[in-house]
Amino acid sequence: MLSIGHRGAMGHAPENTLASFNQALALGAQAIELDVRCVDGRLLVFHDETLDRTTNGTGLLYAHSVTQLRRFDAGEGQPIPFLEEVCALVDRRAAINIELKDAASVPAVVALVVRCWQQGWAQNSLWLSCFSHEILQQIRACHATVPIGVLVEDRVGPAIELARQLRAVALHPSRKLVTRELVERAHHLNLAVYVYTVNEPEEIGRLRQWGVDGVFCNYPERVREVAAGLVVK
Ligand code: G3P
Ligand code: MG
């Protein structure tokens, strides 16, 4: 089962920072998840619409220029990273799941993924995901084969139907939605199942038994520990 470091290793380091991605790699994550938003045509790795929770800035991210945003402290003195900085840091040592938080990111993310492929990244080591069905359709319209994961927090049926339509590679359900039957149904359609956000070892173990293909975890080492039987249930 794939250990996907959620926003890097946000249980250990400030989320979506280079330190967090470094930490995730050090803890054995085979993939990292991050969130992107587009400002002034640049891809910033950032989760919220506002700056307040994770930086020393305030207000809407989109109300600032990239130059202003880069001056804020996103934790432990680090700036909000650009997506290309994260790709350079990871440098094929792990897969990257890029979660798009706005439609403006679509062309720039697709262009960056294509550049990474040209630099030797494996086709399946970069995959895009989103909750918005409209944005997922835009991604597929922008590129015929870029790997897509469909995020779903409710209403599984329409998400599976969209995954089929878009020839997605994976379904990313909330942990609250997952059942053994859902895993079987997705696998029957050749969709991998990556569940967010699972931090409790007992739950990681149960999902593993159900055949879940990966979990987004704030503590990426826990997935390995469960698999190695280091965690006593
Ligand atoms: O991609 C999995 C998970 O990150 C989705 O929710 O809100 O943490 O971006 P969120
Ligand atoms: Mg996310």
Side-chain angles (χ1 to χ4, degrees), residues 6-7 33 35 47 97 99 101 129 131 151 196-197 216:
H6 187 229
R7 306 182 202 170
E33 185 264 2
D35 309 284
H47 183 273
N97 170 216
E99 182 190 344
K101 291 294 192 191
S129 63
F131 284 106
L151 272 159
Y196 73 93
T197 301
F216 298 91

Side-chain angles (χ1 to χ4, degrees), residues 80-213:
I80 300 169
F82 288 122
L83 179 57
E84 64 253 41
E85 291 179 311
V86 182
C87 293
L89 172 84
V90 174
D91 192 21
R92 294 168 284 173
R93 290 179 291 161
I96 304 181
N97 170 216
I98 303 164
E99 182 190 344
L100 285 78
K101 291 294 192 191
D102 58 29
S105 297
V106 172
V109 169
V110 169
L112 178 56
V113 167
V114 170
R115 277 204 306 281
C116 285
W117 288 340
Q118 288 162 350
Q119 290 163 11
W121 286 72
Q123 295 269 325
N124 60 2
S125 64
L126 297 156
W127 84 102
L128 315 188
S129 63
C130 192
F131 284 106
S132 158
H133 289 198
E134 206 178 327
I135 293 174
L136 288 167
Q137 274 158 344
Q138 288 173 25
I139 293 168
R140 183 51 78 230
C142 188
H143 197 284
T145 59
V146 68
I148 285 177
V150 177
L151 272 159
V152 54
E153 64 180 345
D154 54 27
R155 309 217 315 132
V156 171
I160 287 187
E161 182 47 36
L162 185 74
R164 280 160 52 104
Q165 267 175 31
L166 300 183
R167 302 176 308 284
V169 295
L171 192 69
H172 297 192
S174 158
R175 50 182 284 278
K176 293 176 192 140
L177 284 182
V178 188
T179 59
R180 196 189 278 269
E181 291 69 36
L182 176 62
V183 177
E184 281 167 12
R185 189 171 159 203
H187 283 172
H188 191 66
L189 297 166
N190 276 328
L191 292 166
V193 179
Y194 301 133
V195 182
Y196 73 93
T197 301
V198 191
N199 291 320
E200 294 312 315
E202 232 177 64
E203 189 173 5
I204 295 170
R206 184 171 70 248
L207 295 176
R208 190 165 174 269
Q209 280 173 357
W210 289 357
V212 162
D213 302 277

